Amino acid sequence: MSKKTAGPEIERLIQLLSRLPGLGPRSGRKAALALLKRRQDLLVPLAQALAVAAEKLVECPTCGNIDTVSPCTICQDPRRDPALIVVVEEIGDLWALERAGVVTARYHVLGGHLSPLDGVGPERLNIASLLTRAAAGEVKEVLLALNATVEGQSTAHYVMEQLETVAGDRPLTVSRLAQGVPIGGELDYLDEGTLAAAIKARRKI
Ligand SMILES: [Zn+2]
């Protein structure tokens, strides 16, 4: 039997923290120790914040974003341009575009990209709800801000074709990010300046 350093509750805390992105067992232990040493000003408020988030988290029925209010804060914001929908793969991309701060649009989170080899077809992504939104009269432009990867671009192509079908004779501009997004680039990793330039110079497709 291996010898134990801490009680099961602390071992569990370390284990869970180690699963967070960017952390491993070593950083997980460090984080756990920091929490244990700062019980009142860090551990307790964090535990409460996690409990509240876990209880309230909900996927926005309109755009696929995750928030604690439904529809999400972005969908409820009246200052955002209802004529423009920015389509992203993941919520991390939405956050990256918000950090860049160049668009005051609404978003649509697909929840990934098409990947036939992994069994991810159109029905597994939030594409049907996007088409419903785009068919509504107030939407004038859909900006496909998908990653500049092979999967991201083939997803963009598919979505564009579907949008053209639902638009019919109604003028609906479909655009995509322009220069500045390197081939293979994932939005979440780009700096805000590059993202801002790519949105400003977006191209109609
Ligand atoms: Zn929303």
Side-chain angles (χ1 to χ4, degrees), residues 26-167:
R26 197 186 162 85
S27 304
R29 274 196 300 276
K30 246 175 137 169
L33 187 59
L35 289 168
L36 297 176
K37 283 161 85 174
R38 295 176 58 187
R39 181 175 173 166
Q40 281 314 318
D41 71 323
L42 197 56
L43 179 59
V44 172
L46 178 67
Q48 285 165 349
L50 289 171
V52 171
E55 192 192 309
K56 291 194 167 177
L57 271 198
V58 58
E59 185 177 314
C60 176
T62 307
C63 75
N65 187 16
I66 288 179
D67 205 341
T68 50
V69 288
S70 176
C72 73
T73 306
I74 291 176
C75 283
Q76 284 193 33
D77 184 352
R79 286 163 303 177
R80 289 172 185 267
D81 182 4
L84 174 62
I85 295 179
V86 181
V87 180
V88 293
E89 291 182 31
E90 301 287 356
I91 293 165
D93 301 328
L94 183 161
W95 287 4
L97 290 167
E98 285 288 294
R99 280 200 306 275
V102 271
V103 278
T104 46
R106 307 265 164 92
Y107 292 88
H108 199 87
V109 184
L110 293 181
H113 50 242
L114 293 174
S115 182
L117 291 178
D118 301 316
V120 182
E123 70 290 342
R124 293 267 300 270
L125 303 176
N126 290 330
I127 293 178
S129 53
L130 170 65
L131 300 179
T132 307
R133 287 179 80 187
E138 60 180 5
V139 178
K140 303 272 187 298
E141 179 181 357
V142 177
L143 167 58
L144 301 174
L146 304 183
N147 291 332
T149 55
V150 173
E151 295 88 355
Q153 291 313 297
S154 61
T155 306
H157 187 76
Y158 176 84
V159 171
M160 186 194 70
E161 282 182 347
Q162 298 295 309
L163 285 168
E164 277 172 357
T165 311
V166 293

